[in-house]
Amino acid sequence: MVRFGVVGTNWITERLLEAAAQVEGFALTAVYSRSAEKADAFADQYKAAHRFTNLEEMAASDEIDAVYIATPNTYHAEQAELFLRNKKHVLCEKPLAANCEEVRRLVDAARESGVLLMEAMKSTLVPAFKTVQSNLHKIGPVRKYIAGYSQYSSRYDKYKEGIVLNAFKPELANGALMDLGVYCLYPLITLFGAPNQVQSQAYMLASGVDGQGSVILNYDEMDAVVTYSKISNSHVPTEIMGELGSILIDKIGSPEHAEIRYNDGTVEKLEAEQNYPTMFYEVQEFVNLVEAGKLESDMNTYERSYETMLVMDQIRKQIGLVFPNDK
């Protein structure tokens, strides 16, 4: 049994705990919030015995083996390192950090402490993505990857009224790239490795973050086009185009269905049975790794987290998106 603490009492933590309730070996034992009232209410709701308002005390506690971090992006590295240095396993919400130097620091801390660190990139661990990965050879040499994640933010209405909520604050390392673009880039790097060249552009909001953006990534024998937005919606599937056919994926952020459309017109459904909520699979992976004594995921590896963040750093430099963590 892996005893978890959670840092962050928001909707994404609630969704993770709902999924984790179905993972054998997961036990919630502690909750952190800056507010004692919120910590108590959240812990009561999910039947966690221990409540903390001090992160240092929680990190040093013998009541937890691991922690799930779901705070604003700007705090990920600082908080994750605190727990890693206290020899606690860390499952950290994506993006793992605000820049690649922070990722490097976290990987070093995990290795020095002999504990597991994993980025909670859910989409690469679901059955549909693994099925795509194992069937990729069927479409021949891949020539193009086109992925998009555009989802109109409910908080954008407030932004247009002059109220800037967390989703659009650069001081929290937020914006379209960090919140949505990462979902397109991480699978790309998982399937094809790091690109040779990155060219990007974005529509920047007055608050200092990107409302939307697009990226062209060049490889030796293919290229990739990635688009993302928090100020508009898109309903177009992701497509991986090969010389023998194309793979279509319904939603790159949480894949459920995929198919191959061959050049001769035939269609092959890539069946992948998904009986659990999307976030179940990342928790299951993490718990299995801890129980097996492994210190790194074979799928959500340190290298992939670093290379994805390195690409995101290049994009941010090109579009002029700066976070306090960069200084």
Side-chain angles (χ1 to χ4, degrees):
M1 187 66 66
V2 182
R3 301 169 303 158
F4 272 80
V6 294
V7 179
T9 53
N10 48 40
W11 66 269
I12 198 165
T13 306
E14 292 178 347
R15 191 170 295 177
L16 178 120
L17 291 175
E18 288 163 7
Q22 301 177 68
V23 176
E24 188 176 344
F26 177 95
L28 179 67
T29 58
V31 170
Y32 166 84
S33 175
R34 289 173 297 177
S35 158
E37 185 178 356
K38 281 187 179 179
D40 285 337
F42 200 86
D44 288 345
Q45 180 181 353
Y46 291 97
K47 297 178 173 58
H50 306 281
R51 302 100 196 272
F52 294 91
T53 55
N54 182 293
L55 267 187
E56 286 76 11
E57 288 180 11
M58 184 180 187
S61 171
D62 293 330
E63 302 296 339
I64 63 170
D65 308 305
V67 66
Y68 168 67
I69 295 174
T71 51
N73 302 333
T74 195
Y75 303 122
H76 285 183
E78 178 185 358
Q79 293 174 345
E81 186 173 11
L82 172 65
F83 284 93
L84 292 169
R85 296 293 182 192
N86 278 272
K87 299 188 183 301
K88 302 296 190 292
H89 306 291
V90 173
L91 176 63
C92 185
E93 205 34 80
K94 62 82 213 163
L96 185 58
N99 57 52
C100 63
E101 289 306 314
E102 289 187 341
V103 172
R104 191 198 306 273
R105 197 172 79 228
L106 292 182
V107 171
D108 288 345
R111 286 174 170 159
E112 289 165 11
S113 295
V115 290
L116 170 65
L117 167 68
M118 193 181 92
E119 185 167 8
M121 177 54 68
K122 62 184 180 181
S123 54
T124 48
L125 297 167
V126 297
F129 183 83
K130 292 183 177 182
T131 302
V132 167
Q133 194 173 31
S134 62
N135 284 276
L136 193 59
H137 66 281
K138 293 181 179 179
I139 62 171
V142 173
R143 299 304 183 202
K144 191 175 289 288
Y145 168 103
I146 302 176
Y149 193 165
S150 295
Q151 182 174 295
Y152 187 90
S153 172
S154 59
R155 296 168 182 83
Y156 189 51
D157 289 334
K158 289 291 186 183
Y159 179 89
K160 289 188 286 186
E161 294 171 8
I163 302 167
V164 181
L165 299 175
N166 286 357
F168 296 106
K169 289 183 177 179
E171 58 266 33
L172 296 179
N174 283 336
L177 172 66
M178 301 296 277
D179 292 347
L180 301 181
V182 64
Y183 280 116
C184 303
L185 294 166
Y186 200 105
L188 169 68
I189 288 169
T190 298
L191 294 173
F192 304 108
N196 299 327
Q197 188 179 11
V198 176
Q199 300 166 280
S200 58
Q201 60 181 21
Y203 174 72
M204 302 298 293
L205 301 177
S207 67
V209 302
D210 54 331
Q212 65 180 26
S214 57
V215 192
I216 299 173
L217 306 102
N218 299 112
Y219 290 79
D220 288 342
E221 298 182 345
M222 61 168 280
D223 61 69
V225 179
V226 163
T227 63
Y228 47 89
S229 176
K230 298 191 74 168
I231 59 175
S232 61
N233 285 317
S234 175
H235 309 283
V236 178
T238 285
E239 186 171 13
I240 305 172
M241 302 158 63
E243 292 187 1
L244 303 179
S246 293
I247 295 178
L248 275 73
I249 305 167
D250 60 343
K251 298 171 291 186
I252 194 63
S254 54
E256 293 180 9
H257 305 289
E259 65 182 28
I260 300 177
R261 296 191 180 184
Y262 292 101
N263 292 349
D264 64 4
T266 58
V267 177
E268 179 186 354
K269 298 288 185 181
L270 299 181
E271 301 297 343
E273 190 174 348
Q274 181 172 324
N275 299 316
Y276 300 98
T278 306
M279 296 182 82
F280 166 89
Y281 299 95
E282 66 188 79
V283 180
Q284 182 185 55
E285 167 86 353
F286 189 84
V287 169
N288 288 349
L289 290 169
V290 171
E291 292 183 337
K294 294 186 176 180
L295 303 182
E296 183 178 359
S297 169
D298 291 333
M299 180 61 83
N300 290 3
T301 65
Y302 295 155
E303 183 179 18
R304 286 169 185 158
S305 290
Y306 181 81
E307 288 180 344
T308 301
M309 188 57 65
L310 188 60
V311 167
M312 292 168 71
D313 281 359
Q314 293 177 62
I315 293 168
R316 288 200 298 113
K317 186 175 182 180
Q318 291 175 12
I319 66 176
L321 178 55
V322 179
F323 300 141
N325 308 60
D326 304 324
K327 297 172 184 177

